[in-house]
Amino acid sequence: MKRLVLVLAAALPISTLAQLPTKEPAKPAPAPAAAPATGPLATVNGVAIPRQRLELVLRQQTARGATDNDQMRAQLREALINNELLFQEGTRNGTAKKPEVQQQIDLSRQEVIANAVINEFLRTNPVSDADIQKEYERAKVQTGEREYRARHILVANEADAKAVLADLKKGVKFEELAQKKSLDEYTRPKGGDLDWNVPSNFDKAFADAMVKLEKGKMTETPVRSRFGFHVIVLDDVRPVNFPPLAQVRQQIQQRLVGQKVEVFIRELRGKSKIE
């Protein structure tokens, strides 16, 4: 939900409130008057400020790390009063009717409703524990049991790849050739080092050739992928240290939520006429 901008007497934005100390200083200034326990939060020129408005802003602030205490509530009450005063002044002097202000109001209203629709969709279509477990097992299978550390030299055509293989067989160091001839801008400065990776992170043709290699061995013929032609050497292999579900549950849930929302919006677009 879009942040509600509140103004304190000292012109402090609401984001500053979360950083204000909750302990009294050595010589405390007079605290703002506390709101009554029932009824409106306050009344400004005959306009009542609903108490629920403070609770909404308080929830936003505590979600950002602020503490729910009497001082925070009193400060928020003063901020809401100031906002009401400024709102009334903007209405009186015509500021509220300016086109740019109306555009911001329309955008804020649209964002609030859009977020509410998504929240309602997720409430009725939640990510279940079974969904999380299923995605965890799928990722575990896709990752496999071993990860590989390989180096490669990427060139544009088969002839160049064969020339690289010939140089390597003559005793030219792999790292030197990679730095001179590889088209892979990321690994070239590192002598073609791809670091530790699971096969699923690579192009299938590349991965299939890599996993067939014995440790310390090199491909005997060029390997063609969608990126070009590779010469690959396998430096090492080790078991995958796959994290336990408890460690990655939140990340999996967030990803699944994102996928649900993406599908939901895609369905809405599919049923709509967009020009």
Side-chain angles (χ1 to χ4, degrees):
M1 184 175 290
K2 193 173 180 65
R3 182 184 302 177
L4 177 62
V5 178
L6 303 177
V7 182
L8 291 170
L12 292 176
I14 191 66
S15 58
T16 306
L17 291 177
Q19 303 172 10
L20 291 175
T22 56
K23 295 182 180 180
E24 293 185 355
K27 295 181 179 179
T38 58
L41 181 69
T43 303
V44 180
N45 296 326
V47 177
I49 301 176
R51 183 172 300 278
Q52 294 87 340
R53 194 173 299 174
L54 182 142
E55 298 301 329
L56 171 62
V57 179
L58 185 61
R59 285 197 299 271
Q60 294 172 346
Q61 292 305 300
T62 53
R64 299 184 183 105
T67 302
D68 181 356
N69 55 32
D70 290 343
Q71 183 178 0
M72 174 58 73
R73 286 175 174 268
Q75 289 175 326
L76 289 177
R77 178 175 182 270
E78 294 304 303
L80 287 166
I81 290 171
N82 291 343
N83 257 26
E84 180 61 34
L85 286 167
L86 291 168
F87 173 80
Q88 293 180 18
E89 177 63 15
T91 303
R92 184 196 64 78
N93 65 19
T95 300
K97 294 183 179 180
K98 289 184 176 182
E100 62 269 24
V101 175
Q102 287 296 314
Q103 289 175 9
Q104 291 180 39
I105 292 172
D106 291 343
L107 179 60
S108 297
R109 179 175 180 274
Q110 188 180 61
E111 288 177 347
V112 169
I113 294 174
N115 285 331
V117 169
I118 289 175
N119 289 335
E120 178 62 18
F121 168 76
L122 293 174
R123 186 187 69 80
T124 56
N125 297 273
V127 172
S128 67
D129 289 341
D131 293 333
I132 295 173
Q133 183 70 44
K134 183 178 178 180
E135 176 61 17
Y136 177 78
E137 296 299 336
R138 185 201 64 78
K140 196 172 182 179
V141 170
Q142 183 181 22
T143 299
E145 297 180 351
R146 297 192 295 175
E147 59 182 346
Y148 300 76
R149 184 155 195 169
R151 288 173 286 153
H152 81 135
I153 298 172
L154 173 65
V155 292
N157 54 62
E158 188 174 10
D160 288 344
K162 288 181 176 180
V164 167
L165 283 168
D167 287 341
L168 290 170
K169 290 177 181 178
K170 292 176 184 177
V172 181
K173 290 184 177 180
F174 193 98
E175 293 85 348
E176 293 178 2
L177 278 177
Q179 290 170 353
K180 290 179 181 179
K181 296 188 175 183
S182 182
L183 300 178
D184 185 340
E185 297 291 344
Y186 178 72
T187 64
R188 184 173 64 192
K190 301 183 292 184
D193 184 14
L194 290 159
D195 208 341
W196 288 102
N197 273 287
V198 295
S200 59
N201 288 341
F202 295 112
D203 178 273
K204 186 177 186 304
F206 185 103
D208 289 346
M210 179 184 68
V211 300
K212 291 177 183 178
L213 290 172
E214 295 180 12
K215 181 178 174 180
K217 297 296 184 179
M218 178 179 65
T219 49
E220 293 294 329
T221 58
V223 177
R224 184 174 186 176
S225 77
R226 66 182 186 274
F227 303 107
F229 289 81
H230 308 259
V231 177
I232 309 167
V233 62
L234 180 62
D235 288 336
D236 205 355
V237 183
R238 69 185 183 188
V240 169
N241 183 20
F242 204 78
L245 176 58
Q247 185 176 329
V248 294
R249 173 181 290 275
Q250 185 175 1
Q251 295 95 308
I252 294 175
Q253 183 177 28
Q254 290 173 347
R255 182 165 68 248
L256 293 177
V257 165
Q259 291 172 358
K260 278 182 173 288
V261 172
E262 183 179 349
V263 171
F264 176 50
I265 293 176
R266 189 161 58 240
E267 290 175 351
L268 291 177
R269 293 177 69 92
K271 296 184 292 186
S272 304
K273 182 178 180 181
I274 301 174
E275 299 177 341

